[in-house]
Amino acid sequence: MVVGSFTVYLAGPITGLTYDGAEDWRQAAKLDLAAAGIKALSPLRAKDYLRNLPGRISGTGEEYAHLGVLSTPRGVMTRDRFDATRCDCLLVNLLGAERVSIGTVMEIAFADACRTPIVCAMEPSGNPHEHMMIAEAVGFRVTSLTEALHIVKAIADNGPVRR
């Protein structure tokens, strides 16, 4: 299937996770959205070299910034801000987060400033991202990634609408 012009940015925690732990849900979402003709952007695209890190990904980049300009603090900030402000929809997966993801919170703020629709998968309670400003920025909050993907497709008008 040819992926259309509707673009979704896949936001969610990376710090404290392994490459695969951060990328697995994104790859599944990307495949699901592509089947509906929707292009998905991962902040980890073109960074598969991070899979070889001997531990978890930090939020400072100290252990991997030397691996490529996309992984320097400025490179991460520049591309993630660009993606979060140019996408048609921000899909945020906060399910299972153990601590606040500062980068994800910034991506939500970037998208909200552009009035980009934000779809967020997050537990009904107990998530460390539970905050009034996140609650107000998120346009669609659901409790599963499957449901979030459905909402994204409905916004894009590229999938069946359930009642």
Side-chain angles (χ1 to χ4, degrees), residues 1-162:
M1 169 174 270
V2 175
V3 177
S5 63
F6 194 89
T7 303
V8 177
Y9 181 70
L10 305 175
I14 294 173
T15 298
L17 301 174
T18 63
Y19 174 86
D20 290 329
E23 183 65 1
D24 284 354
W25 77 265
R26 288 177 169 93
Q27 284 305 312
K30 187 174 182 176
L31 290 172
D32 184 83
L33 293 169
I38 299 170
K39 180 178 182 177
L41 300 173
S42 169
L44 292 168
R45 69 188 185 280
K47 296 181 186 178
D48 54 334
Y49 51 82
L50 295 176
R51 179 176 279 124
N52 300 321
L53 290 177
R56 300 184 182 278
I57 299 171
S58 77
T60 65
E62 293 172 7
E63 76 280 18
Y64 54 83
H66 68 282
L67 297 175
V69 71
L70 287 173
S71 294
T72 63
R74 185 167 308 237
V76 169
M77 177 72 166
T78 300
R79 188 172 74 168
D80 291 0
R81 179 179 44 223
F82 175 63
D83 287 347
T85 59
R86 73 178 171 125
C87 65
D88 297 301
C89 184
L90 193 79
L91 171 58
V92 184
N93 182 3
L94 296 175
L95 293 168
E98 296 178 5
R99 61 183 176 189
V100 172
S101 170
I102 296 170
T104 303
V105 170
M106 289 191 68
E107 292 162 344
I108 291 169
F110 294 147
D112 182 63
C114 296
R115 300 301 182 251
T116 300
I118 301 170
V119 179
C120 181
M122 187 163 81
E123 297 85 359
S125 64
N127 190 290
H129 294 88
E130 200 65 63
H131 188 279
M132 69 175 110
M133 293 181 77
I134 299 295
E136 289 301 311
V138 169
F140 307 92
R141 180 174 170 172
V142 295
T143 58
S144 74
L145 186 56
T146 300
E147 211 173 347
L149 290 164
H150 169 75
I151 298 299
V152 168
K153 291 176 211 171
I155 292 169
D157 196 23
N158 284 24
V161 176
R162 293 181 298 192

